[in-house]
């Protein structure tokens, strides 16, 4: 039997060329052009400011997609309509070239600029919802925007025998036959958690099947979506557990204040409900959301976000990154500013529109989504739909037992106790900003080694400490970004214990504390500070006793 040749073609990038490349099997070009995804990709790949600015399209077919083939074998192969098994793959490059140039680069020049200009690909499935597994670079960094994409990873791409690499997070459009938005969001998250924790990364059909139907007493396929119980069950089926938080609806805060009713703060569903007499402001709600999401994203964990449109439609998306802007003004309800307060935009894989879709925080606490404000085509793109985030779910290793709020609480206590000393250093002009995040201990040690602030002996002392695999880090820093104090917590410990393992004090606080402990009145004064836990004393003394080089 003769093997079928791979058909590939090279054309210059344009919106028309993109529409043609995405038109495949049962879809018409008119269908593609009126889709939300096409509009999103024309902005994402086009010449818009800070977009990928693609110059060339390379189409490749037939292409075997492992994910689609699993869905096909379990579902589409049993349809009377003969759906195709193979897909088309559409590649994008940031430089212009022709088919003859590509052919020469394939065989004669492994260092050709073509290979350095690779932007990624979109798999086009032979289905009504055609956008299949997609690997595209995220928006580039710029001087005006500090974008971070911790929940990405490096994927190898084999293009006609040439191995390329793309750092991103796997994406695809939802397929309501085997995977509505919840399944697709989980599938995208699993692409990273499998890399982090060496857990399975099942196909969408398998995720939906693992979620079961007993919670809704409805059939699993065709799939109309998963409820919260099914989402947790799907995550647990691969050996992970979930951290869940619910948040206030900022849209209701004004109504609550006017009616005298109260709103709930960020809630850990395993704990008792918080004081119902307190109604946080929109700024405080964003403080809660960003603190929790950032603390896990920074480690590289994707965060599943439950959003709700004004029409009452719920939608699950997968956060992969964020943008840091100008720190907001300090609110009366925020006693400890966080680095995460600077987040003014989240980037999330939204299976309804595209990868790294922007979610921008508004002053009222709502989020401006990437969706047009109109519900039906022709879409009105002059304004974007507002959504609120009411729940966040983090798929995580069961070995991580200490929660973000527990670390936040202990940090807040020490922050208050050392407040007079910090105020003395800052001459009362500012308060430190805390960076609280989950990490691998080895990654934390790598960061310490790259720092210039601690002296050599001090850094050596820290990196030679025996630490668990997972740690929480709380780092205080001054307005100029200079570190002041670090607390390292055992993320695998019991929440009933004292799980701070070590401190790392930087100058000038280091000298101030060293001089303070020489004063016999200092330690009693420190013990009397409200909220100070005396169990920090041996950690501080061990750290400060290290002989450092001036």
């Amino acid at each position: 039997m003769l093997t079928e040749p791979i058909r590939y073609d090279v054309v210059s990038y344009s919106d028309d060329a993109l529409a043609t490349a995405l038109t495949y099997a049962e879809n018409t070009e008119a269908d593609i052009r009126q889709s939300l995804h096409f509009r999103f990709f024309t902005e994402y790949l086009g010449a818009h400011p800070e977009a990928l600015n693609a110059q060339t399209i390379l189409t490749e077919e037939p292409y075997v997609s492992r994910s689609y083939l699993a869905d096909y074998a379990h579902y589409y192969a049993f349809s009377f309509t003969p759906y195709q098994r193979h897909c088309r793959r559409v590649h994008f490059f940031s430089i212009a070239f022709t088919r003859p140039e590509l052919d020469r680069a394939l065989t004669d020049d492994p260092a050709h600029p073509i290979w350095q200009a690779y932007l990624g690909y979109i798999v086009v499935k032979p289905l009504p919802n055609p956008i299949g597994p997609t690997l595209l670079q995220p928006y580039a960094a710029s001087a005006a925007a500090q974008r971070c994409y911790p929940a990405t990873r490096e994927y190898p791409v084999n293009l006609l025998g040439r191995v390329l690499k793309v750092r991103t997070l796997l994406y695809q459009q939802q397929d309501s036959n085997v995977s509505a938005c919840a399944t697709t969001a989980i599938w995208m998250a699993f692409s990273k958690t499998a890399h982090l924790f060496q857990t399975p990364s099942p196909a969408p059909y398998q995720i939906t099947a693992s979620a079961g139907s007993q919670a809704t007493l409805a059939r699993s396929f065709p799939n109309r979506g998963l409820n919260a119980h099914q989402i947790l069950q799907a995550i647990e089926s691969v050996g992970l557990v979930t951290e869940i938080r619910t948040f206030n609806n900022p849209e209701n805060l004004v109504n609550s204040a006017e009616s005298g009713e109260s709103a709930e703060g960020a809630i850990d569903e395993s704990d008792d409900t918080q004081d119902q007499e307190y109604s946080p402001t929109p700024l405080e709600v964003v403080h809660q959301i960003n603190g929790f999401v950032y603390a896990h994203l920074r480690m590289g964990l994707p965060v599943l976000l439950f959003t709700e449109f004004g029409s009452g439609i719920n939608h699950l998306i997968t956060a992969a990154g964020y943008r840091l802007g100008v720190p907001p003004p300090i609110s009366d309800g925020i006693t400890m500013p966080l680095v995460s307060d600077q987040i003014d935009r989240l980037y999330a894989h939204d299976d309804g529109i595209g990868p790294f879709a922007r979610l921008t925080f508004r002053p009222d606490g709502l989020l401006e989504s990437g969706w047009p404000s109109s519900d039906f085509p022709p879409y009105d793109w002059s304004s974007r739909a507002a959504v609120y985030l009411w729940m966040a779910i983090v798929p995580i290793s069961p070995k991580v037992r200490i929660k973000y709020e527990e670390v936040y609480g202990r940090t807040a206590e020490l922050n208050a106790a050392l407040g007079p000393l910090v105020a003395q250093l800052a001459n009362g002009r500012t308060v430190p900003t805390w960076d609280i995040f989950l990490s691998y201990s080895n990654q934390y040690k790598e960061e310490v080694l790259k720092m210039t602030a601690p002296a050599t002996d001090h850094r050596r002392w820290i990196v030679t400490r025996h630490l668990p695999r997972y740690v929480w880090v709380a780092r205080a820093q001054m307005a100029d970004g200079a570190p002041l104090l670090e607390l390292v917590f055992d993320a695998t410990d019991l929440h009933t214990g004292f799980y701070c393992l070590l401190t790392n004090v930087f100058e000038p606080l280091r000298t101030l504390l060293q001089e303070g402990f020489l004063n016999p009145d200092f330690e009693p004064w420190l013990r009397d500070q409200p909220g100070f836990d005396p169990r920090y004393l041996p950690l501080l003394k061990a750290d400060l006793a290290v002989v450092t080089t001036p």
Side-chain angles (χ1 to χ4, degrees), residues 298-328:
R298 196 182 186 284
M299 179 185 172
L301 283 165
V303 181
L304 301 173
L305 305 178
F306 266 106
T307 60
E308 182 176 318
F309 291 87
S311 56
I313 298 175
N314 295 330
H315 188 46
L316 189 66
I317 57 180
T318 307
Y322 51 85
R323 187 180 74 176
L324 297 177
V326 178

Side-chain angles (χ1 to χ4, degrees), residues 174-322:
Q174 70 166 274
D175 174 4
S176 58
N177 290 289
V178 299
S179 60
C181 72
T183 294
T184 308
I186 295 169
W187 176 82
M188 293 185 287
F190 280 173
S191 178
K192 181 59 186 291
T193 57
H195 184 71
L196 286 173
F197 305 121
Q198 292 74 55
T199 51
S201 181
Y205 180 95
Q206 296 163 325
I207 293 173
T208 302
S210 68
S213 60
Q214 64 270 26
T216 59
L217 300 179
R219 64 188 297 175
S220 297
F221 303 97
N223 186 250
R224 297 293 182 263
L226 307 178
N227 61 29
H229 173 84
Q230 291 173 306
I231 290 171
L232 305 189
Q233 186 164 308
I235 292 172
E236 290 176 0
S237 71
V238 298
L240 300 176
V241 295
T242 52
E243 282 290 344
I244 308 174
R245 299 296 182 275
T246 56
F247 305 103
N248 272 293
N249 175 1
E251 198 173 37
N252 293 335
L253 294 177
V254 175
N255 297 333
S256 299
E258 292 176 349
S259 64
E261 296 176 356
S262 61
E264 294 180 351
I267 297 174
D268 174 358
E269 293 192 341
S270 64
D271 296 333
D272 295 332
T273 303
Q274 296 182 359
D275 186 2
Q276 295 298 305
E277 297 300 320
Y278 173 66
S279 295
T281 65
L283 190 61
E284 291 166 0
V285 173
V286 174
H287 175 79
Q288 297 166 353
I289 291 172
N290 280 344
F292 177 80
V293 172
Y294 168 89
H296 295 90
L297 265 182
R298 196 182 186 284
M299 179 185 172
L301 283 165
V303 181
L304 301 173
L305 305 178
F306 266 106
T307 60
E308 182 176 318
F309 291 87
S311 56
I313 298 175
N314 295 330
H315 188 46
L316 189 66
I317 57 180
T318 307
Y322 51 85

Side-chain angles (χ1 to χ4, degrees), residues 409-410 412-414 416-417 526-534 536:
R410 290 204 175 274
E413 291 172 353
L414 190 60
L526 193 57
R527 288 177 178 271
D528 290 339
Q529 293 303 300
F532 180 75
D533 192 323
Y536 282 115

Side-chain angles (χ1 to χ4, degrees), residues 148-185:
C148 304
Y149 307 99
T152 59
R153 49 167 284 217
E154 194 172 78
Y155 294 84
V157 178
N158 192 302
L159 173 58
L160 303 174
R162 183 70 62 189
V163 178
L164 309 174
K165 293 180 180 179
V166 181
R167 186 166 191 85
T168 185
L169 181 66
L170 192 61
Y171 170 86
Q172 78 169 322
Q173 180 182 10
Q174 70 166 274
D175 174 4
S176 58
N177 290 289
V178 299
S179 60
C181 72
T183 294
T184 308

Side-chain angles (χ1 to χ4, degrees), residues 1-66:
M1 172 181 173
L2 293 176
T3 58
E4 180 182 5
I6 295 175
R7 301 181 297 277
Y8 62 100
D9 194 17
V10 175
V11 297
S12 296
Y13 179 88
S14 67
D15 290 354
D16 291 340
L18 177 63
T20 300
L22 298 182
T23 302
Y24 185 60
E26 304 299 322
N27 293 288
T28 66
E29 189 167 317
D31 294 332
I32 296 298
R33 286 182 177 274
Q34 72 173 0
S35 69
L36 293 172
H37 287 84
F38 178 72
R39 171 59 187 257
F40 180 91
F41 282 125
T42 57
E43 289 188 357
Y44 194 87
L45 293 163
H48 300 272
E50 300 179 353
L52 298 191
N53 195 22
Q55 298 295 306
T56 304
I57 296 176
L58 187 158
T59 56
E60 169 197 7
E61 58 183 297
Y63 174 73
V64 178
S65 166
R66 181 180 66 87

Side-chain angles (χ1 to χ4, degrees), residues 6 23 48 55 163 211 215 277 390 411 447-448 465 482 512 547:
I6 295 175
T23 302
H48 300 272
Q55 298 295 306
V163 178
E277 297 300 320
W390 63 275
T411 303
E447 288 190 30
V448 170
R465 298 303 93 187
L512 194 63
V547 178

